[in-house]
Amino acid sequence: MSVTVFKRKMSGLVRRSKSVYQFASVALLSSLPNRCQLCQHRVEQLDYQRLFPNQVLSGICQVCLAASLYQHEVCLGCGREISQLQAYCGKCLKHTPMLVVAPCSYHQGLGPLIAAIKYQQQCAPINAITQQLATRVSQLIEHKLIRAPQVLVPVPLHPNRLRERGFNQAWLIAHRLSQLLGIPIDDGSLTRMVDTAPQADLSGKQRRKNCRNAFSLSAHFPYQRIALIDDVVTTGTTVEEIARLFTQQHVYVQTWCLARAEAPGLLD
């Protein structure tokens, strides 16, 4: 048998093995106990795998997921409701803030799940919500409202926080997005130098002071367009501080997250 024929046969075997593995993984995960963390009902796959082949819905049921997603178009600048698919509302057009892409509002259903990912290690819903984020990103790219980045950059944790928590949820989201969208990850160029206090209970002024000079970026970053990846964007203090470093190197920045926490009163 020639080397070429052998390689061809081995390549086919590997492809079939991957296919069998994916099928077995889906079948196994589908059979495990799986409860929605919002309504506590059993998560049924129904037509989810038809919409997203080889994906298993876990941690959240289709009803709760569908109800929590944006039911209208939103401004990618501030998050307010807008009447048609476009990047910015009239107010944001005047100063074109950094684009923030999210599939839902933190305040309208998924907030408890996203908080539980970070603080309680309840990671089951990450895949399903990240799938919705990937779908939203693809829609915006298709309509030329955003440009596809060259690389995904997860917001880093300080080594102390990483040891304490055991994982970086932003990296998990970026890894899944990389698989879904085929965009590589750079998780070595951006580092968190300061072990900042948790942002949750801080005012906007305190958040800005807390994040100032907390990050460091490699001097010769090799990309021109990136997407910063995080679990939730609230005041935007963290991503704006990071974006400042990239802008100094003439790198275009947008932010992708599982949910955004809009300013008080914006959704009223």
Side-chain angles (χ1 to χ4, degrees):
M1 180 185 300
S2 69
V3 174
T4 302
V5 172
F6 177 76
K7 286 183 176 180
R8 189 181 300 122
K9 288 191 174 183
M10 288 302 297
S11 177
L13 179 61
V14 169
R15 285 196 300 271
R16 289 193 295 274
S17 298
K18 286 182 178 179
S19 178
V20 170
Y21 172 78
Q22 290 176 348
F23 178 81
S25 297
V26 170
L28 175 61
L29 289 171
S30 299
S31 67
L32 294 175
N34 188 359
R35 296 283 176 180
C36 176
Q37 294 178 16
L38 290 178
C39 70
Q40 304 307 313
H41 285 90
R42 177 179 171 82
V43 176
E44 303 291 349
Q45 298 304 309
L46 300 176
D47 59 352
Y48 187 80
Q49 290 168 6
R50 178 180 60 81
L51 296 172
F52 305 108
N54 297 320
Q55 306 300 318
V56 174
L57 187 63
S58 63
I60 183 171
C61 68
Q62 289 191 55
V63 173
C64 288
L65 179 60
S68 300
L69 299 176
Y70 284 126
Q71 307 299 311
H72 47 73
E73 298 302 333
V74 297
C75 172
L76 301 181
C78 65
R80 74 173 69 245
E81 180 178 350
I82 53 180
S83 59
Q84 60 185 8
L85 182 61
Q86 60 189 48
Y88 293 117
C89 65
K91 186 175 181 180
C92 287
L93 274 173
K94 297 177 182 178
H95 57 99
T96 57
M98 179 169 55
L99 294 167
V100 177
V101 179
C104 63
S105 168
Y106 186 84
H107 301 302
Q108 295 183 329
L110 292 185
L113 286 192
I114 295 171
I117 292 170
K118 182 185 297 185
Y119 299 115
Q120 300 171 23
Q121 299 183 343
Q122 298 291 328
C123 295
I126 279 185
N127 281 353
I129 307 174
T130 304
Q131 178 75 67
Q132 297 304 316
L133 172 57
T135 299
R136 174 67 169 158
V137 165
S138 297
Q139 178 195 34
L140 294 172
I141 291 174
E142 180 183 353
H143 286 83
K144 296 181 171 50
L145 295 178
I146 64 173
R147 292 186 67 189
Q150 296 166 302
V151 72
L152 307 177
V153 179
V155 173
L157 288 179
H158 189 273
N160 292 344
R161 191 68 56 83
L162 186 59
R163 282 192 295 269
E164 176 185 328
R165 189 174 297 167
F167 67 97
N168 178 2
Q169 71 282 354
W171 188 92
L172 293 177
I173 297 164
H175 177 67
R176 187 70 186 121
L177 284 170
S178 180
Q179 292 176 323
L180 292 168
L181 299 173
I183 302 173
I185 299 175
D186 183 322
D187 58 2
S189 297
L190 179 69
T191 55
R192 189 184 290 253
M193 307 300 294
V194 180
D195 190 4
T196 53
Q199 299 270 75
D201 298 322
L202 301 181
S203 66
K205 183 177 180 180
Q206 290 171 327
R207 287 173 184 241
R208 287 188 292 274
K209 183 178 180 180
N210 192 43
C211 283
R212 192 170 300 137
N213 300 319
F215 300 91
S216 176
L217 178 63
S218 299
H220 301 289
F221 188 73
Y223 302 98
Q224 290 77 50
R225 299 188 313 278
I226 73 159
L228 276 178
I229 309 300
D230 210 353
D231 55 345
V232 60
V233 170
T234 50
T235 62
T237 304
T238 299
V239 294
E240 286 173 2
E241 175 65 18
I242 294 172
R244 181 180 63 82
L245 297 177
F246 281 103
T247 301
Q248 289 172 354
Q249 295 195 31
H250 308 289
V251 177
Y252 174 77
V253 181
Q254 56 185 297
T255 297
W256 300 353
C257 57
L258 297 187
R260 70 180 302 165
E262 299 86 355
L266 193 68
L267 301 180
D268 295 344

